[in-house]
Amino acid sequence: MTHNRRVLTVLAVVVAALAAVSVANRLGPGHTGTVVEPVVALGLILLARRSGLTWHDLGLSRRTWWRGLKYALVAVAAVAVVYLVAVAVPVTRQAFLDGRYQLPAGAALLTALVFIPLGTILLEEVVFRGVLLGLLGRHRNGWLAVSISSVLFGLWHILPAAALGANRLVTVVLGSGPGARIVLIAGVVAFTGLAGWLLCELRRRSGSVIAAAGLHWATNGLGVLVTSLLWSARVV
């Protein structure tokens, strides 16, 4: 099989896998992704390896684990500082008052430490900063690979963007009409596309998806924990 055909085949399988996961998450019982997504991630890693990608290409080489972990810890600390500042300011504090995460402490911890890592971060990092970045970076210009991965990462968030209507700041700023929803979705796609570029850069500099996963978890997981604390404290 030629290089171009191999790339197209893997890309097609990745897109099909993401589509299947999206359908399963929408139609299946709660937290379906916690079971399905790790299995899909493992399958895509095996496919990538059979297609000739090395552990280094995938950002999973043991030689880069420690370096990736150091980057991840710095990223978590940086996000924690940003969130503390945002919570201290009344206007930006509203962004954390998301009805989806009005959870008791135990449920918030379970969401942040289990559901988000297994049901969101693992698959996304394996796909966008592992398989796609490794595959395209090996056969294409590095910056083109980063761009394609980041654009696809942004587009992947079109459906989840609809759920952000439960966020108080989003509702206050954009309202709840059809036009507001279109603006919201476009904004989420653009923002997550830029976030994807930053995550790719962390992966590139560290050589490990652990670095990108650390920042990814900090953004999502710490956000859930902060939101839960604010609701518990009845901060409005």
Side-chain angles (χ1 to χ4, degrees):
M1 183 182 293
T2 65
H3 286 322
N4 287 339
R5 187 175 178 183
R6 182 180 295 113
V7 170
L8 291 175
T9 299
V10 175
L11 285 176
V13 173
V14 167
V15 171
L18 289 176
V21 166
S22 181
V23 171
N25 285 338
R26 290 182 66 85
L27 301 181
H31 304 300
T32 295
T34 307
V35 177
V36 172
E37 294 191 19
V39 174
V40 174
L42 177 60
L44 292 176
I45 289 173
L46 294 176
L47 173 65
R49 291 284 291 153
R50 286 184 60 85
S51 299
L53 295 185
T54 66
W55 292 117
H56 182 75
D57 291 331
L58 294 170
L60 297 172
S61 171
R62 286 182 294 178
R63 292 176 297 174
T64 62
W65 285 0
W66 176 237
R67 182 175 176 83
L69 180 59
K70 289 190 290 185
Y71 270 83
L73 292 174
V74 171
V76 170
V79 171
V81 170
V82 171
Y83 280 1
L84 287 174
V85 172
V87 167
V89 179
V91 173
T92 53
R93 184 188 305 145
Q94 301 297 311
F96 292 95
L97 299 180
D98 191 324
R100 295 173 299 163
Y101 300 119
Q102 190 174 356
L103 304 171
L109 286 171
L110 187 64
T111 298
L113 300 179
V114 178
F115 296 146
I116 287 177
L118 295 181
T120 299
I121 293 172
L122 177 60
L123 178 63
E124 291 184 355
E125 292 307 320
V126 165
V127 168
F128 296 104
R129 263 70 64 181
V131 175
L132 287 180
L133 194 61
L135 182 71
L136 297 171
R138 189 171 188 178
H139 300 292
R140 297 288 186 274
N141 175 276
W143 287 111
L144 179 61
V146 169
S147 299
I148 293 174
S149 173
S150 301
V151 168
L152 292 176
F153 186 60
L155 294 174
W156 166 247
H157 287 81
I158 290 177
L159 291 178
L164 287 180
N167 185 286
R168 182 174 297 182
L169 183 60
V170 169
T171 302
V172 169
V173 173
L174 297 177
S176 57
R181 183 54 53 88
I182 292 174
V183 172
L184 171 62
I185 292 174
V188 168
V189 170
F191 178 81
T192 51
L194 290 173
W197 180 88
L198 177 59
L199 292 169
C200 284
E201 184 64 10
L202 276 177
R203 148 80 161 90
R204 187 185 69 82
R205 287 179 178 272
S206 67
S208 174
V209 295
I210 294 174
L215 177 58
H216 198 163
W217 177 83
T219 304
N220 292 9
L222 288 182
V224 169
L225 296 177
V226 170
T227 297
S228 175
L229 286 173
L230 290 177
W231 281 115
S232 298
R234 300 185 183 278
V235 176
V236 296

